[in-house]
Amino acid sequence: MHRKIDLGAEAVWRTVFSRKFFSMLKVFFLDILLQRRILKESVARWSVHSLIYTAILARFALSLLTGIRFWFDPENPMALALMDKNHGFTGFIYDLLGLFILAGIVWVVIRRYVVKPEHVVTEIADNVAVALIGLLVVFGFIAEGVRITVSQIPPELGISSFIGYFLSQLFSLSDWNWQRVYPWLWWIH
């Protein structure tokens, strides 16, 4: 194991301090982050893919940033704000990114089942992936709405989570025991 780590570290070191580093950085940004190959094939396909992919990637990056900042400095105000679901930025950005994902999912469904271009082949694995991502986002919004309802967050804090807050207003009209429902929704999400 020690030998593998040594060889891996040496390869990384040689790559970072070589002429290939900038070309690899270019490939990383253009081909991995910006999905240049898909853009060359179809702007519409790239747009749909970017709505879903970029929003998921942004949520992952925010979570990673939060974890790293909290690991090194548990009292860091930025880390604490990103961990606080009631913080204005956190509530807004997560609802906005979830909305982007949902818009991408709806666009995929419309393209596959309404527009039905000849070149789009719908396979079962694709349908399952689209359905799972869509359900994940929908249950996330529902869980957020129930969380806001249960914790009775004041409007000035809850409104930044604009979809969750709207759903919480609908849920508060019902006399369900949302306290019992919330843990199940959280696990489903």
Side-chain angles (χ1 to χ4, degrees):
M1 180 60 107
H2 178 70
R3 177 82 176 131
K4 288 181 180 180
I5 292 172
D6 186 42
L7 288 173
E10 184 179 325
V12 168
W13 186 262
R14 272 186 283 158
T15 303
V16 168
F17 293 103
S18 73
R19 293 181 184 175
K20 292 189 286 184
F21 178 73
F22 291 108
S23 63
M24 289 175 50
L25 203 58
K26 179 182 169 187
V27 167
F28 175 75
F29 280 107
L30 294 177
D31 293 335
I32 295 174
L33 291 181
L34 298 178
Q35 301 287 304
R36 177 173 55 177
R37 183 184 57 81
I38 297 173
L39 179 60
K40 286 179 181 177
E41 290 176 17
S42 165
V43 173
R45 183 171 175 234
W46 177 83
S47 300
V48 169
H49 190 267
S50 291
L51 277 172
I52 299 167
Y53 170 77
T54 307
I56 291 172
L57 190 64
R59 289 179 70 112
F60 173 74
L62 275 172
S63 296
L64 188 62
L65 174 69
T66 304
I68 291 170
R69 291 298 301 240
F70 187 76
W71 175 270
F72 287 108
D73 183 11
E75 299 299 319
N76 182 281
M78 184 179 82
L80 294 174
L82 289 172
M83 289 171 53
D84 181 6
K85 295 177 186 174
N86 298 324
H87 189 274
F89 173 79
T90 307
F92 178 77
I93 200 69
Y94 279 124
D95 269 21
L96 182 66
L97 292 172
L99 190 62
F100 286 169
I101 296 169
L102 201 56
I105 295 295
V106 168
W107 195 349
V108 166
V109 169
I110 289 171
R111 276 181 50 109
R112 287 176 184 247
Y113 300 106
V114 178
V115 177
K116 298 180 186 179
E118 290 181 22
H119 65 280
V120 174
V121 178
T122 301
E123 296 182 9
I124 293 173
D126 296 337
N127 295 337
V128 170
V130 167
L132 285 176
I133 294 170
L135 287 172
L136 181 69
V137 172
V138 167
F139 275 109
F141 284 138
I142 294 170
E144 178 69 2
V146 171
R147 183 190 70 80
I148 292 170
T149 302
V150 167
S151 52
Q152 298 178 348
I153 296 172
E156 59 272 7
L157 289 177
I159 196 72
S160 61
S161 179
F162 54 97
I163 296 174
Y165 184 74
F166 171 75
L167 291 175
S168 76
Q169 296 304 298
L170 291 177
F171 297 151
S172 65
L173 298 174
S174 165
D175 60 350
W176 276 26
N177 185 351
W178 293 112
Q179 190 81 29
R180 291 186 62 174
V181 173
Y182 178 70
W184 290 98
L185 287 171
W186 189 87
W187 279 107
I188 290 169
H189 169 66

